[in-house]
Amino acid sequence: MERTEEKSDGTGLEVLFPEEGKTAPCCAHGPTLLFEKVGSGGARGRRFYACSACRDRKDCSFFQWEDEKVSEASVLAREAEIQSKRPRFTQEEYRIRFLTFAALPLDERKFCEECQVLVLPAEHSAHSAHRTRTVSAAQLRRPSLLLSPLGNKKSNAQYLFSERSACFLLDALASLGYRKVLCVGTPRLQELIKQRNLQQNQEPMQSLLLDIDYRYAQFYAQDQFCHYNMFNHHFFGGQASRTVLENFLEEVPGQKVVMVADPPFGGLVRPLANSFSLISQMWRRRRRQEPGDSEADLPLVWIFPYFFEPRILECLPSLAMLDYQVDYDNHPLYKHGKTGRRQSPVRIFTNIPAQDVVLPAEEGYRFCSLCQRYVSSLNKHCSACNLCPSKDGRQWKHCSACSRCVKPSWRHCLACSRCALPDHPCRSAGGRGGAAEDGCFSCGSLQHKQNACPLRARPRSSSSGPRARRRSQKASRHAAPPVAQSRGARPL
């Protein structure tokens, strides 16, 4: 059994990938993951299975101890729950409905905003009390503008690429010769590909969307969409969907394949990396290998915040982070054009050679001949470190005492023998030097990070009484994941 550590939520949980041949129990999102809680000093707790996609029990209540004997009644109840959450129609039935819908006159093409479905004329009466809207042919080609984005940032958050980011990604991939784009959780990119194919201004591209949001099955044929969970590599359509992906990954001359993935930022990194590696293995089995490239990896573009760089590179060392800032239409913070700490922290991680991905000069990106890659305008090359060090878009400075470049807001502390924020908990003020490099920005301890602080759930000192305690407990239960903390509030 492979042991993989995940500390992103501060709970000391580890994800354990089972040995081949051993199956995990299933929830509505497919096979569950096996977790083990690790306490201080390496003490290990009892192992349990939980949902791979939802890290909040409110969204998926599945829980089972590894050694628990489950009764037949419980198994039947779980199966009934899984069946109740499956899509109402099969992929083939959705396709027939779409073709029927597209052939209707404009005034009969209705979309129910409450049920999030295309409504055929025979169903109008059932949705008469709901909010509906007329759907044009152009809107049918842009389902991401019709469907309400899902908002759970831990499992299926749908932050949709802005037109700027989607166009840059597609232009960059097209210029590198890729003609088949596997869109994993990137519906906006698939829409742009199909839109450009209709314009016939350039060589057409093929695309396949893998997404956990089955609502997209209403708009795409079976060879264009697969209902897929990227956290456990589960195809809800079974072998038929696997075959669709395998056929898509097969390369022919002039049809290079690339995968673009935009997972929820609150998701676990290692299960994601494991799924992407399994897709790469599928591609490797289907491609026509040239001599010496039997271990080649599928070209991958992984969109994720820059502060996950160490964890991503630990899982997939062949990836490198680019300076390009990805922004989203429906995210309040991740917008283009902001400066300082308000800049989008979302970056591109890719195994495509960095010098080949040309970043737009009109946005200030330039090529560093020493690093052999494109960097942002404020990312100045440091001769001491021999690299362009900035991760967040600001100009970093070199600290000779630390022998590295640090963020512009940091200062070197002689007492701590390291760089930190000016108001950091200093050893000279009674703090304890510790295991956590940057310490906790909430309580001042150097023994843990902020996301593991035991004081996070305590009520404010100005509040008291049972009502304040209830508010604190509620905040603790619904505490945002570390990723959410990092969005716009990460200490810099």
Side-chain angles (χ1 to χ4, degrees):
M1 178 171 292
E2 181 184 352
R3 182 180 302 277
T4 63
E5 188 172 359
E6 281 291 349
K7 295 182 179 178
S8 64
D9 60 358
T11 60
L13 286 179
E14 290 186 1
V15 181
L16 308 175
F17 291 118
E19 299 170 353
E20 189 163 350
K22 185 176 181 180
T23 59
C26 292
C27 67
H29 305 92
T32 55
L33 294 179
L34 181 61
F35 294 89
E36 182 178 50
K37 191 167 185 178
V38 181
S40 58
R44 300 193 175 275
R46 193 176 176 188
R47 297 176 179 179
F48 62 91
Y49 290 101
C51 180
S52 62
C54 303
R55 296 177 65 187
D56 195 322
R57 294 282 298 278
K58 293 186 305 175
D59 302 307
C60 182
S61 61
F62 186 97
F63 181 91
Q64 178 183 320
W65 295 112
E66 182 189 24
D67 54 0
E68 180 180 352
K69 294 183 179 180
V70 183
S71 67
E72 183 177 352
S74 297
V75 172
L76 293 175
R78 285 179 184 173
E79 184 58 34
E81 182 181 6
I82 292 173
Q83 291 288 346
S84 68
K85 294 184 178 179
R86 285 180 177 169
R88 181 180 176 185
F89 302 102
T90 65
Q91 186 90 27
E92 185 177 354
E93 290 171 336
Y94 272 129
R95 187 59 183 171
I96 294 173
R97 288 175 58 86
F98 178 85
L99 295 176
T100 303
F101 186 91
L104 294 172
L106 177 62
D107 59 345
E108 293 187 24
R109 293 201 297 259
K110 301 293 184 181
F111 176 77
C112 180
E113 296 182 343
E114 296 184 28
C115 301
Q116 296 285 287
V117 295
L118 300 174
V119 182
L120 297 178
E123 302 163 348
H124 284 181
S125 59
H127 298 266
S128 59
H130 298 173
R131 295 189 309 273
T132 60
R133 59 186 295 186
T134 303
V135 182
S136 66
Q139 289 173 319
L140 276 179
R141 294 191 289 268
R142 300 296 302 272
S144 68
L145 300 179
L146 278 177
L147 300 171
S148 300
L150 302 176
N152 189 331
K153 51 184 157 283
K154 297 182 184 180
S155 57
N156 53 15
Q158 289 178 326
Y159 295 133
L160 302 167
F161 290 147
S162 67
E163 195 75 7
R164 162 191 170 268
S165 293
C167 288
F168 164 75
L169 285 169
L170 193 53
D171 291 340
L173 296 176
S175 67
L176 293 172
Y178 295 105
R179 294 296 176 264
K180 299 175 77 174
V181 183
L182 179 61
C183 303
V184 184
T186 58
R188 186 62 61 84
L189 189 61
Q190 164 133 320
E191 294 172 6
L192 182 60
I193 290 172
K194 297 191 175 303
Q195 183 179 346
R196 289 193 177 182
N197 287 344
L198 289 175
Q199 296 170 354
Q200 299 182 340
N201 294 330
Q202 57 188 21
E203 187 175 347
M205 302 176 75
Q206 299 178 50
S207 63
L208 172 63
L209 175 62
L210 306 184
D211 205 290
I212 198 169
D213 187 357
Y214 67 84
R215 297 177 300 171
Y216 283 98
Q218 301 177 83
F219 302 91
Y220 296 119
Q222 289 175 287
D223 61 349
Q224 298 174 336
F225 172 80
C226 292
H227 190 196
Y228 174 76
N229 181 351
M230 70 178 82
F231 291 101
N232 58 4
H233 192 56
H234 176 66
F235 293 85
F236 294 88
Q239 185 56 46
S241 293
R242 283 182 172 271
T243 301
V244 168
L245 176 58
E246 289 171 350
N247 292 338
F248 182 85
L249 292 175
E250 186 170 359
E251 284 189 347
V252 297
Q255 295 288 313
K256 290 167 56 180
V257 182
V258 61
M259 174 168 57
V260 181
D262 186 26
F265 300 154
L268 299 174
V269 170
R270 290 187 182 276
L272 289 169
N274 182 63
S275 294
F276 299 157
S277 296
L278 291 174
I279 293 177
S280 183
Q281 292 174 21
M282 296 173 68
W283 168 82
R284 198 178 297 125
R285 290 193 297 266
R286 300 288 295 189
R287 73 190 297 259
R288 299 176 181 177
Q289 295 182 3
E290 300 294 334
D293 70 346
S294 60
E295 296 301 320
D297 289 323
L298 171 66
L300 168 63
V301 173
W302 182 347
I303 313 296
F304 228 51
Y306 71 82
F307 37 81
F308 280 95
E309 181 185 22
R311 199 170 307 156
I312 290 176
L313 299 188
E314 179 186 357
C315 298
L316 299 175
S318 63
L319 301 188
M321 189 178 77
L322 307 183
D323 274 18
Y324 185 81
Q325 296 182 9
V326 179
D327 62 331
Y328 297 83
D329 272 349
N330 59 327
H331 195 285
L333 299 178
Y334 298 175
K335 300 291 187 183
H336 176 61
K338 295 187 177 182
T339 59
R341 293 174 57 181
R342 295 188 177 91
Q343 300 177 74
S344 171
V346 186
R347 299 292 184 269
I348 294 173
F349 294 86
T350 183
N351 53 8
I352 300 172
Q355 66 268 24
D356 294 342
V357 185
V358 181
L359 305 187
E362 61 273 17
E363 295 184 15
Y365 297 101
R366 56 183 176 78
F367 186 75
C368 176
S369 58
L370 297 174
C371 293
Q372 285 295 295
R373 68 182 183 97
Y374 288 83
V375 297
S376 61
S377 59
L378 294 179
N379 195 358
K380 308 298 183 182
H381 191 88
C382 174
S383 57
C385 297
N386 194 29
L387 52 78
C388 293
S390 177
K391 309 289 186 184
D392 60 8
R394 297 181 293 170
Q395 183 174 347
W396 288 21
K397 60 183 181 181
H398 187 79
C399 174
S400 300
C402 293
S403 298
R404 63 171 182 147
C405 288
V406 297
K407 299 173 184 179
S409 55
W410 288 18
R411 302 289 183 270
H412 189 81
C413 175
L414 295 176
C416 296
S417 298
R418 65 185 182 97
C419 285
L421 288 169
D423 59 349
H424 72 284
C426 186
R427 289 177 181 170
S428 62
R432 296 164 55 192
E437 180 184 355
D438 299 326
C440 175
F441 291 93
S442 292
C443 71
S445 171
L446 295 175
Q447 298 301 313
H448 58 260
K449 295 283 190 177
Q450 184 183 29
N451 56 16
C453 182
L455 301 182
R456 288 178 64 197
R458 291 189 181 179
R460 298 175 183 267
S461 58
S462 59
S463 302
S464 60
R467 181 176 298 178
R469 286 194 294 272
R470 285 196 298 270
R471 284 198 303 266
S472 175
Q473 292 167 0
K474 183 176 180 181
S476 176
R477 288 198 302 270
H478 300 281
V483 175
Q485 291 178 358
S486 303
R487 295 177 179 176
R490 185 176 177 82
L492 298 179

